[in-house]
Amino acid sequence: MLNVILLGPPGAGKGTQAKTLSERTDLAHVASGDLFRAALREGTELGMLAKSYMDRGELVPDEVVIRMILERIQRPDCANGVIFDGFPRTRDQATALEAALVDKHQSKIAAVLYLDVPQDVLLRRIAGRQTCKTCGATYNIYYFPSHRPGICDACGGKLYQRSDDSIETAQHRLDVYFEQTMPLIEHYRLQGCLHEVDGRREISLVTEAMLIALSLNGTAK
Ligand code: ADP
Ligand code: ADP
Ligand code: ZN
């Protein structure tokens, strides 16, 4: 059982890396933002509640996120371990996760991979992000455009721009990140499980650096 957290600002590449890492290992990809967007597509109360915060670039209240994630990691696909993408984002979320893992006699957090990317690059990545409505694949109009504009290479689905990726909301999300999530870097550094990964590099190089940090570079698919 290996639990890994991907920590980093919006646009750092957490989702991109988590998807590949999960395909190349037997770890489940658990992304809080994706779970909220799925809930919204299904029209659930959780989805509506989350949307009101997401649209403003604010964090969804801790108790809501925590409940959702603790439920999600009970599912059988999480038995070998989890790659957490976008969770925890506050100290209270981190504490709740640690307590839940102890309670369930599951292994602790094995590693926290902190993706470091400068702000100007982040804003460009966010502004260019396009996501597939059907399969969730992510493209970037500046760095990795799809072959046909607006159409997913993988499944032919429609690409859309997240409404919270507008420049104003993105800037606010970065401010929220600095204030509420950045303190977690120190929290995990003190626990001795923090690995810094230079997120400015090419996607495949970032993946390799992460596998090395997890000592999985010899065994990953
Ligand atoms: P996060 O989940 O941290 O918000 P994403 O994985 O969605 O970040 O990446 C944000 C955007 O940047 C996407 O459009 C993605 O295609 C692009 N991207 C991700 N990693 C890199 C990279 N190493 N170099 C350039 N662009 C990247
Ligand atoms: P990114 O990493 O690109 O900012 P996410 O998809 O992870 O985007 O998150 C989108 C939004 O979903 C956040 O701005 C926030 O409103 C909400 N959200 C996601 N994860 C959490 C979390 N752990 N705690 C609180 N809110 C969250
Ligand atoms: Zn697709």
Side-chain angles (χ1 to χ4, degrees):
M1 174 109 200
L2 188 69
N3 293 307
V4 179
I5 292 172
L6 298 195
L7 187 62
K14 301 181 298 297
T16 303
Q17 296 301 331
K19 192 167 191 287
T20 308
L21 287 176
S22 138
E23 284 161 6
R24 294 184 59 183
T25 61
D26 52 6
L27 308 177
H29 177 193
V30 172
S32 39
D34 289 351
L35 292 171
F36 287 135
R37 283 183 290 273
L40 183 63
R41 276 197 302 277
E42 288 157 18
T44 65
E45 220 168 281
L46 172 71
M48 311 291 231
L49 175 77
K51 181 178 160 51
S52 63
Y53 293 91
M54 293 167 90
D55 279 350
R56 285 182 284 127
E58 297 286 342
L59 294 184
V60 177
D62 282 336
E63 68 271 16
V64 177
V65 191
I66 291 167
R67 197 178 332 117
M68 174 180 76
I69 293 288
L70 297 191
E71 249 174 60
R72 172 67 186 85
I73 63 176
Q74 293 308 311
R75 301 236 301 258
D77 65 319
C78 294
N80 293 317
V82 176
I83 299 168
F84 291 98
D85 160 12
F87 179 91
R89 263 173 152 103
T90 65
R91 275 182 192 282
D92 284 353
Q93 291 178 23
T95 312
L97 177 62
E98 282 149 32
L101 294 179
V102 170
D103 258 12
K104 295 183 178 59
H105 308 289
Q106 288 180 356
S107 327
K108 306 188 295 192
I109 303 301
V112 177
L113 306 176
Y114 163 50
L115 264 175
D116 192 13
V117 177
Q119 248 202 92
D120 53 329
V121 180
L122 291 173
L123 285 170
R124 197 167 162 82
R125 285 190 186 176
I126 293 173
R129 169 159 54 191
Q130 286 190 312
T131 311
C132 174
K133 263 194 178 142
T134 310
C135 75
T138 306
Y139 298 84
N140 194 287
I141 56 170
Y142 303 118
Y143 303 109
F144 319 100
S146 56
H147 290 299
R148 284 182 295 160
I151 311 279
C152 176
D153 293 343
C155 78
K158 263 202 182 141
L159 303 183
Y160 75 101
Q161 190 188 30
R162 280 169 43 181
S163 57
D164 62 339
D165 278 349
S166 69
I167 195 76
E168 302 78 29
T169 311
Q171 184 61 60
H172 184 61
R173 282 158 56 208
L174 282 175
D175 295 342
V176 168
Y177 168 80
F178 290 125
E179 194 181 306
Q180 305 199 49
T181 310
M182 278 263 274
L184 292 183
I185 297 172
E186 218 33 54
H187 173 85
Y188 291 118
R189 201 195 304 278
L190 289 171
Q191 290 191 8
C193 57
L194 189 82
H195 301 262
E196 284 188 46
V197 177
D198 180 354
R200 284 171 306 183
R201 289 175 296 175
E202 255 179 54
I203 289 180
S204 61
L205 296 178
V206 177
T207 309
E208 287 315 311
M210 290 186 157
L211 289 171
I212 290 171
L214 298 173
S215 306
L216 290 175
N217 48 317
T219 53
K221 288 168 229 166

